[in-house]
Amino acid sequence: MNPTPSRERICLLTGGGYPYRRDALGGWCRTLVEGLRRFRFELLTVTDRELPSAPAYPLPFHVGSARAVALGRDPARAERRRVAAPDGAAEAAALLCRGLLGDEGPVAEQFATGLRRIAELCLPAAENRRKPVEPGPPDPLTGVPLTDALIEAWRQRQNEMTPDQPPLPRLSVRDARTAATLLRHALRALAVPLPEVELVHCVGGTTPLLAALAGRWRTGTPLLLTEARAAVARQRPAEDRLSVGVRTVLRRFRTSVARTGYAEAELIAPLSTYHHGWALEHGARPARLVQVPAGVDPREYPGAVEPSASPAVVWAGSGGPDSGLALMLEAFTEVAAALPGAVLHLVGVTATHEDHCAEQIERTGLGRAVRLHPLPADPRDRYTVGQVVAHVPGPADPPYRLVEAMMSGRAVVGVDVGPAGETLGDTGVLVPANDPPELAIAIVDLLRDPARRRALGDAARQRALNHFTVDRVVRVYGALYTDLAAPPPAPAFELQLTVPAPRTTVPATVRWLTRETA
């Protein structure tokens, strides 16, 4: 019988995934929510993408609400409106622009100061809290000449740079206007209202973290940050057409938001040593880091006998422009040439990206050698259609699908990016990033060697059972939730004793998770 939910309410804040999308991070969130039934969850997703009106996952009984906020696009140009800017808005925007161009020290700290002041200007639309999908929040910098602030900050930074520092790229007035529009759009997340809870658990990228920071500054609610993004300098596929100057602004903005999140969060839970190191490099305090690897339920991936049909490879992903699909198709072109009759199964392609997948497949000329599969309802069927799984993730994908493939008992060929190496260990084959010929060679070798791939598949499953099970994730996060969301102790009178009573400065369940050396 399920335990009764406790008084602690948790806001699980994501960036467009759970419970509205079936993606890798959505599966991780579902596992967490369903495993911690003693807490009451308020689900909130904030994204700049369009979302369906209904959740893609069934919601457990201990989920109090599920809301989605789509920032949308504001067709009006706020800088051209004759609207008076709020008091202090121009100064806050200037601090933010100067701070995002600083690498460290007092200059970089100006970003957090400016961001907090902008958040204080936002008045959340509380009347929208009960709507499952809310309209985009207002622009907090309406009437502020953000373009001018960005150009001035760029000029000042160039004058302050020393000869040994790499110069900033050129930023034209047109580039500054484009960058200001994108920053203005992103900052709208600061106006998203958060539910009244005892703890905010933010999982995702820049957009949900902005909403989490604003909520923390308004109410003081503790913040738990799960760092699941791949720690690489990247831009989204849609940003490839932007100038170098605009991309530099966006990259520095996202890095500055991450730094601010690390400084404000009570605890940070990276998914891997790779993410752990990246957080340390960007200002996270070692005592606040609690590494919690990804985990899956072994019962959902019991393993299955290999199919005896023609050679088959499985790739799992959304099929979008940043999902790793292009590299996979380029490598499989060589696999099909070496092994006629080989089949590539694309598992989990979303309806949104089916057209993109079809275009990519047609461009490679693979035709019937590639088969599209929607995400199966039964996880047992996800990786069993092939003998080898190719793990070619997108730049923002967590290692969740890699753990699924390992738990399924299939031999894995993984691209050595992010945490793939530490997750797979010596139970699979790693190939260099952005090297389709090497990826093809590794896949062909395993398809031609049944004994080796079965041995690797068995070893991968055993490694997943030893290190990446869902019970570990649920146990640790349950302890973190209890410590961070628990109400403060009741005030009591202190008696002067001859022998003072021992005091515990750190909660017990956190003390064994964050061991500090003297």
Side-chain angles (χ1 to χ4, degrees):
M1 188 172 181
N2 293 325
T4 302
S6 66
R7 293 181 301 172
E8 289 79 11
R9 294 168 298 173
I10 312 297
C11 172
L12 186 61
L13 178 56
T14 62
Y18 182 78
Y20 293 93
R21 292 186 185 276
R22 292 181 177 270
D23 54 13
L25 203 54
W28 183 89
C29 293
R30 176 187 63 86
T31 298
L32 185 67
V33 171
E34 294 184 355
L36 292 172
R37 294 179 177 267
R38 65 181 184 274
F39 298 96
R40 180 178 178 86
F41 283 91
E42 310 293 337
L43 306 180
L44 174 61
T45 183
V46 184
T47 179
D48 53 6
R49 299 178 296 179
E50 294 184 1
L51 288 175
S53 58
Y57 292 96
L59 299 180
F61 75 97
H62 59 292
V63 172
S65 64
R67 297 166 44 223
V69 179
L71 299 184
R73 299 290 177 182
D74 188 0
R77 297 185 179 273
E79 292 188 8
R80 295 183 180 178
R81 300 175 187 170
R82 295 184 178 180
V83 179
D87 293 339
E91 293 79 3
L95 286 172
L96 182 134
C97 292
R98 288 199 297 267
L100 69 85
L101 296 178
D103 296 323
E104 58 184 12
V107 177
E109 292 174 0
Q110 292 180 9
F111 178 88
T113 303
L115 188 67
R116 181 163 188 166
R117 291 184 183 180
I118 296 173
E120 292 171 352
L121 297 173
C122 300
L123 296 176
E127 64 274 9
N128 291 327
R129 288 188 177 184
R130 295 184 179 181
K131 298 180 180 179
V133 178
E134 301 179 8
D139 176 11
L141 294 178
T142 299
V144 175
L146 190 57
T147 299
D148 297 340
L150 188 58
I151 292 175
E152 178 63 20
W154 200 273
R155 184 190 61 79
Q156 290 183 6
R157 181 57 179 162
Q158 286 179 324
N159 294 336
E160 296 169 354
M161 297 181 71
T162 58
D164 60 325
Q165 292 178 315
L168 291 173
R170 178 178 179 271
L171 187 74
S172 66
V173 175
R174 181 179 180 181
D175 292 339
R177 188 177 295 117
T178 301
T181 300
L182 296 173
L183 291 182
R184 191 185 297 276
H185 173 75
L187 291 171
R188 294 170 67 185
L190 296 172
V192 175
L194 268 60
E196 296 181 2
V197 292
E198 283 72 45
L199 174 66
V200 174
H201 181 189
C202 180
V203 183
T206 303
T207 301
L209 182 53
L210 285 169
L213 286 170
R216 170 163 176 72
W217 289 328
R218 292 191 198 104
T219 64
T221 305
L223 173 61
L224 171 62
L225 176 60
T226 290
E227 185 54 272
R229 300 166 295 175
V232 294
R234 70 181 186 94
Q235 66 267 355
R236 300 172 183 175
E239 297 170 3
D240 290 339
R241 67 181 185 276
L242 299 176
S243 70
V244 177
V246 176
R247 294 202 302 265
T248 300
V249 172
L250 296 179
R251 184 181 70 252
R252 286 177 172 265
F253 175 75
R254 290 164 184 157
T255 301
S256 298
V257 172
R259 286 181 179 273
T260 307
Y262 295 154
E264 292 290 339
E266 269 70 22
L267 285 177
I268 306 157
L271 281 182
S272 66
T273 303
Y274 180 76
H275 294 93
H276 186 281
W278 193 81
L280 286 175
E281 293 176 4
H282 289 77
R285 300 179 187 177
R288 295 187 181 184
L289 289 168
V290 182
Q291 186 173 323
V292 187
V296 300
D297 190 346
R299 296 171 298 180
E300 294 185 351
Y301 302 91
V305 179
E306 286 187 356
S308 58
S310 57
V313 182
V314 176
W315 174 86
S318 66
D322 59 346
S323 63
L325 175 64
L327 178 62
M328 182 69 249
L329 292 176
E330 186 176 351
F332 189 74
T333 302
E334 301 186 27
V335 174
L339 296 175
V343 177
L344 172 63
H345 297 274
L346 305 180
V347 180
V349 175
T350 61
T352 306
H353 297 131
E354 284 184 358
D355 292 341
H356 174 76
C357 282
E359 292 175 2
Q360 295 295 317
I361 295 170
E362 183 179 358
R363 185 177 304 172
T364 58
L366 293 172
R368 296 183 179 179
V370 181
R371 300 173 186 175
L372 299 181
H373 302 268
L375 197 63
D378 190 347
R380 295 177 178 86
D381 301 332
R382 195 165 298 175
Y383 302 97
T384 56
V385 292
Q387 296 95 3
V388 174
V389 175
H391 178 68
V392 187
D397 288 344
Y400 193 81
R401 291 192 181 97
L402 177 56
V403 175
E404 289 180 343
M406 294 168 62
M407 192 67 77
S408 298
R410 288 293 186 262
V412 178
V413 177
V415 175
D416 192 7
V417 295
E422 65 178 277
T423 304
L424 193 56
D426 59 356
T427 64
V429 180
L430 282 175
V431 299
N434 300 318
D435 196 339
E438 286 294 326
L439 178 60
I441 291 172
I443 293 174
V444 171
D445 288 346
L446 285 181
L447 289 175
R448 287 175 172 171
D449 193 343
R452 183 181 175 222
R453 70 171 181 258
R454 288 168 186 162
L456 287 175
D458 293 341
R461 177 170 173 80
Q462 189 59 49
R463 179 176 175 82
L465 289 171
N466 292 339
H467 302 287
F468 304 110
T469 54
V470 68
D471 61 317
R472 294 171 178 265
V473 177
V474 170
R475 177 174 60 87
V476 175
Y477 271 104
L480 298 181
Y481 282 2
T482 299
D483 284 332
L484 295 176
F493 294 100
E494 183 175 354
L495 301 178
Q496 186 68 31
L497 303 177
T498 304
V499 179
R503 297 174 181 240
T504 302
T505 58
V506 181
T509 50
V510 175
R511 191 169 62 250
W512 62 264
L513 289 170
T514 58
R515 297 178 180 175
E516 296 188 67
T517 58

